[in-house]
Amino acid sequence: MPKSSSISSSTPSKGIAAIVGVGLKLGKSIARKFAHEGYTVAILSRDLGSLSKIAEEIAREEKAQVFAIRIDCSDTRSIREAFEGVLSLGFVEVLVYNAAYQPLPLHPTNFTEIPVNSFEKSLAVSSVGAFHCAQQVLPGMVERGRGTILFTGCSASLGGMSGFSELCCGKFALRGLSQCLAREFQSQGIHVAHVIIDGLVGAPRMPSILQRTTTGEQPSGVGGRAADGLMDPDSLAQTYWHLHLQDRSAWTQEIDLRPSTTFRFF
């Protein structure tokens, strides 16, 4: 069953936003953004203890309903059970798939030394898990003629790189899945987009970007992170939100985001 953290809010809920692959950086910022905008949010990852703390923090800050649900994206049964909990909350209007697998430390690995089970797990988490999660929510979206599915890619989505076969192959497949779903379901009102994060994501660096005013003003200090080559997760979350808001007459199907410096992940 979903573990809930919530504080009552006068803002009516707009639906369920399910964020899969929530840690302390990008996933958390995306979840906070959708909670801030009035969505009931389900956050999912393997570590339920850490996830519950994130849910409590977002619920307290945004006066929102946030549900923490454990999921193992390499396990079909775990995905199915997790989404039984998510779907019990109501109509899933937004799915963000942010899960990925890469053994740490993150460094090039000689191809002949990669264990096949590690390669298979990367494929399972990056692409097969995304396939299963999308299958869970698409029937409800098609029935209502609306919904948004956003997949998180990275530099490895665009080209093969020496020493990173595990990461590249999973992310290549995820990009292909996103393109296929966009072509199949966009005519039915479902917006599917692939977001390429071409850089390293740091911790939030500012008073939350959610504090921007309706006139577009930014809190003091905004714009200072680029010097360290890291990407601000709150700024990235804004892009996910804007993709969700796009008019269907001009949907983005793929977008790449990178810091203004020449720093690259690979």
Side-chain angles (χ1 to χ4, degrees), residues 78-109:
S78 175
I79 294 172
R80 185 174 60 252
E81 291 176 348
F83 272 87
E84 286 177 359
V86 174
L87 293 169
S88 72
L89 302 174
F91 166 52
V92 178
E93 182 179 344
V94 181
L95 169 67
V96 177
Y97 193 83
N98 192 52
Y101 170 80
Q102 177 66 29
L104 296 176
L106 185 61
H107 58 70
T109 303

Side-chain angles (χ1 to χ4, degrees), residues 195-211:
V195 184
I196 299 168
I197 308 299
D198 190 12
L200 289 174
V201 180
R205 54 143 165 81
M206 64 182 102
S208 176
I209 199 164
L210 304 179
Q211 297 173 15

Side-chain angles (χ1 to χ4, degrees), residues 142-170:
V142 170
E143 180 182 350
R144 292 164 179 81
R146 63 188 176 93
T148 301
I149 298 178
L150 304 175
F151 296 111
T152 299
C154 64
S155 312
S157 303
L158 299 177
M161 294 172 289
S162 175
F164 290 94
S165 300
E166 293 164 282
L167 181 63
C168 291
C169 291

